[in-house]
Amino acid sequence: DWLVGIIRNNTAREDAARLMKTVGGINNMTPDEVATAFREQLTNEEFGAKGGAGLGMLQIAKKTGSRLKAHIAPVTENEYACTSEVAASLR
């Protein structure tokens, strides 16, 4: 009855921190706030070297209506293992 998507990758400490900040911010939003933030990001022309500041995460939250999960764990001093998870009902 559920589809669960899990993404794992290793990244630099600052990118791991950015993931946690993004997921935390999105999870504190209402569905209407997610939709508004998504629309605003679509018109934001300022993309950094690492992408568009959470647009993909906003889209996942908007489409699934689910809370996102993220976990980070140190691998080395400056490298972190990142795990992102979302579950969506198939009903």
Side-chain angles (χ1 to χ4, degrees):
D1 292 339
W2 288 87
L3 174 65
V4 178
I6 299 173
I7 299 170
R8 291 188 180 108
N9 67 312
N10 288 3
T11 189
R13 181 185 348 196
E14 59 270 8
D15 294 328
R18 188 167 52 97
L19 169 68
M20 296 305 292
K21 182 179 177 183
T22 298
V23 169
I26 291 170
N27 284 341
N28 285 321
M29 293 179 184
T30 65
D32 287 340
E33 289 171 330
V34 169
T36 298
F38 179 76
R39 280 191 303 275
E40 289 173 357
Q41 280 296 82
L42 283 176
T43 60
N44 180 357
E45 295 180 8
E46 296 194 22
F47 287 87
K50 303 283 182 171
L55 182 60
M57 290 295 216
L58 283 166
Q59 185 174 22
I60 290 168
K62 181 176 174 279
K63 292 288 187 184
T64 64
S66 298
R67 287 250 185 276
L68 304 172
K69 294 181 184 178
H71 176 74
I72 60 174
V75 175
T76 65
E77 184 177 330
N78 197 36
E79 184 180 19
Y80 279 68
C82 299
T83 303
S84 304
E85 179 181 328
V86 64
S89 174
L90 296 176
R91 292 183 178 221

PDB file of all heavy atoms in Angstrom, residues 11-20 50 72 82:
ATOM      1  N   THR A  11      28.630  12.915   0.870  1.00  0.00           N
ATOM      2  CA  THR A  11      28.825  14.300   0.481  1.00  0.00           C
ATOM      3  C   THR A  11      29.649  15.030   1.544  1.00  0.00           C
ATOM      4  O   THR A  11      29.901  14.492   2.616  1.00  0.00           O
ATOM      5  CB  THR A  11      27.458  14.994   0.261  1.00  0.00           C
ATOM      6  OG1 THR A  11      27.656  16.268  -0.318  1.00  0.00           O
ATOM      7  CG2 THR A  11      26.691  15.129   1.558  1.00  0.00           C
ATOM      8  N   ALA A  12      30.014  16.248   1.231  1.00  0.00           N
ATOM      9  CA  ALA A  12      30.771  17.075   2.175  1.00  0.00           C
ATOM     10  C   ALA A  12      29.900  17.479   3.355  1.00  0.00           C
ATOM     11  O   ALA A  12      28.666  17.511   3.261  1.00  0.00           O
ATOM     12  CB  ALA A  12      31.293  18.328   1.467  1.00  0.00           C
ATOM     13  N   ARG A  13      30.545  17.793   4.461  1.00  0.00           N
ATOM     14  CA  ARG A  13      29.833  18.146   5.695  1.00  0.00           C
ATOM     15  C   ARG A  13      28.832  19.281   5.474  1.00  0.00           C
ATOM     16  O   ARG A  13      27.699  19.222   5.958  1.00  0.00           O
ATOM     17  CB  ARG A  13      30.838  18.537   6.766  1.00  0.00           C
ATOM     18  CG  ARG A  13      30.170  18.900   8.072  1.00  0.00           C
ATOM     19  CD  ARG A  13      31.076  19.414   9.149  1.00  0.00           C
ATOM     20  NE  ARG A  13      32.486  19.242   8.892  1.00  0.00           N
ATOM     21  CZ  ARG A  13      33.422  19.330   9.796  1.00  0.00           C
ATOM     22  NH1 ARG A  13      33.116  19.581  11.035  1.00  0.00           N
ATOM     23  NH2 ARG A  13      34.694  19.194   9.483  1.00  0.00           N
ATOM     24  N   GLU A  14      29.239  20.328   4.749  1.00  0.00           N
ATOM     25  CA  GLU A  14      28.338  21.466   4.560  1.00  0.00           C
ATOM     26  C   GLU A  14      27.114  21.096   3.729  1.00  0.00           C
ATOM     27  O   GLU A  14      26.021  21.611   3.948  1.00  0.00           O
ATOM     28  CB  GLU A  14      29.068  22.679   3.956  1.00  0.00           C
ATOM     29  CG  GLU A  14      29.711  22.444   2.613  1.00  0.00           C
ATOM     30  CD  GLU A  14      31.151  21.944   2.681  1.00  0.00           C
ATOM     31  OE1 GLU A  14      31.657  21.626   3.774  1.00  0.00           O
ATOM     32  OE2 GLU A  14      31.778  21.862   1.612  1.00  0.00           O
ATOM     33  N   ASP A  15      27.261  20.181   2.777  1.00  0.00           N
ATOM     34  CA  ASP A  15      26.115  19.730   1.992  1.00  0.00           C
ATOM     35  C   ASP A  15      25.187  18.857   2.824  1.00  0.00           C
ATOM     36  O   ASP A  15      23.958  18.909   2.675  1.00  0.00           O
ATOM     37  CB  ASP A  15      26.570  18.983   0.743  1.00  0.00           C
ATOM     38  CG  ASP A  15      27.297  19.910  -0.226  1.00  0.00           C
ATOM     39  OD1 ASP A  15      26.958  21.107  -0.276  1.00  0.00           O
ATOM     40  OD2 ASP A  15      28.212  19.432  -0.921  1.00  0.00           O
ATOM     41  N   ALA A  16      25.747  18.058   3.720  1.00  0.00           N
ATOM     42  CA  ALA A  16      24.933  17.248   4.632  1.00  0.00           C
ATOM     43  C   ALA A  16      24.116  18.160   5.549  1.00  0.00           C
ATOM     44  O   ALA A  16      22.917  17.930   5.772  1.00  0.00           O
ATOM     45  CB  ALA A  16      25.818  16.307   5.440  1.00  0.00           C
ATOM     46  N   ALA A  17      24.742  19.209   6.049  1.00  0.00           N
ATOM     47  CA  ALA A  17      24.040  20.161   6.906  1.00  0.00           C
ATOM     48  C   ALA A  17      22.932  20.868   6.134  1.00  0.00           C
ATOM     49  O   ALA A  17      21.830  21.101   6.660  1.00  0.00           O
ATOM     50  CB  ALA A  17      25.023  21.173   7.488  1.00  0.00           C
ATOM     51  N   ARG A  18      23.199  21.202   4.879  1.00  0.00           N
ATOM     52  CA  ARG A  18      22.188  21.860   4.030  1.00  0.00           C
ATOM     53  C   ARG A  18      20.994  20.936   3.803  1.00  0.00           C
ATOM     54  O   ARG A  18      19.838  21.365   3.827  1.00  0.00           O
ATOM     55  CB  ARG A  18      22.817  22.277   2.694  1.00  0.00           C
ATOM     56  CG  ARG A  18      21.912  23.123   1.820  1.00  0.00           C
ATOM     57  CD  ARG A  18      22.688  23.759   0.671  1.00  0.00           C
ATOM     58  NE  ARG A  18      23.465  22.828  -0.099  1.00  0.00           N
ATOM     59  CZ  ARG A  18      23.060  22.275  -1.250  1.00  0.00           C
ATOM     60  NH1 ARG A  18      21.881  22.564  -1.748  1.00  0.00           N
ATOM     61  NH2 ARG A  18      23.847  21.449  -1.895  1.00  0.00           N
ATOM     62  N   LEU A  19      21.253  19.635   3.603  1.00  0.00           N
ATOM     63  CA  LEU A  19      20.171  18.663   3.452  1.00  0.00           C
ATOM     64  C   LEU A  19      19.280  18.668   4.694  1.00  0.00           C
ATOM     65  O   LEU A  19      18.057  18.742   4.588  1.00  0.00           O
ATOM     66  CB  LEU A  19      20.729  17.255   3.213  1.00  0.00           C
ATOM     67  CG  LEU A  19      19.702  16.124   3.305  1.00  0.00           C
ATOM     68  CD1 LEU A  19      18.712  16.186   2.153  1.00  0.00           C
ATOM     69  CD2 LEU A  19      20.410  14.779   3.347  1.00  0.00           C
ATOM     70  N   MET A  20      19.893  18.589   5.871  1.00  0.00           N
ATOM     71  CA  MET A  20      19.114  18.540   7.105  1.00  0.00           C
ATOM     72  C   MET A  20      18.309  19.831   7.301  1.00  0.00           C
ATOM     73  O   MET A  20      17.147  19.780   7.722  1.00  0.00           O
ATOM     74  CB  MET A  20      20.030  18.286   8.301  1.00  0.00           C
ATOM     75  CG  MET A  20      20.728  16.937   8.258  1.00  0.00           C
ATOM     76  SD  MET A  20      19.610  15.512   8.092  1.00  0.00           S
ATOM     77  CE  MET A  20      18.795  15.564   9.687  1.00  0.00           C
ATOM     78  N   LYS A  50      25.530  23.998  -6.374  1.00  0.00           N
ATOM     79  CA  LYS A  50      24.942  22.746  -5.873  1.00  0.00           C
ATOM     80  C   LYS A  50      23.466  22.616  -6.219  1.00  0.00           C
ATOM     81  O   LYS A  50      22.783  21.761  -5.701  1.00  0.00           O
ATOM     82  CB  LYS A  50      25.117  22.661  -4.356  1.00  0.00           C
ATOM     83  CG  LYS A  50      26.542  22.750  -3.889  1.00  0.00           C
ATOM     84  CD  LYS A  50      27.261  21.462  -4.107  1.00  0.00           C
ATOM     85  CE  LYS A  50      28.685  21.575  -3.574  1.00  0.00           C
ATOM     86  NZ  LYS A  50      29.370  20.340  -3.555  1.00  0.00           N
ATOM     87  N   ILE A  72      22.014  11.883   8.596  1.00  0.00           N
ATOM     88  CA  ILE A  72      23.407  11.992   8.169  1.00  0.00           C
ATOM     89  C   ILE A  72      24.293  11.320   9.215  1.00  0.00           C
ATOM     90  O   ILE A  72      23.958  11.277  10.399  1.00  0.00           O
ATOM     91  CB  ILE A  72      23.846  13.458   7.951  1.00  0.00           C
ATOM     92  CG1 ILE A  72      23.712  14.294   9.228  1.00  0.00           C
ATOM     93  CG2 ILE A  72      23.048  14.084   6.804  1.00  0.00           C
ATOM     94  CD1 ILE A  72      24.273  15.697   9.111  1.00  0.00           C
ATOM     95  N   CYS A  82      24.634  10.464   3.642  1.00  0.00           N
ATOM     96  CA  CYS A  82      23.303  11.087   3.733  1.00  0.00           C
ATOM     97  C   CYS A  82      22.261  10.083   3.247  1.00  0.00           C
ATOM     98  O   CYS A  82      22.433   9.456   2.205  1.00  0.00           O
ATOM     99  CB  CYS A  82      23.220  12.320   2.853  1.00  0.00           C
ATOM    100  SG  CYS A  82      24.370  13.614   3.292  1.00  0.00           S
TER     101      CYS A  82
END
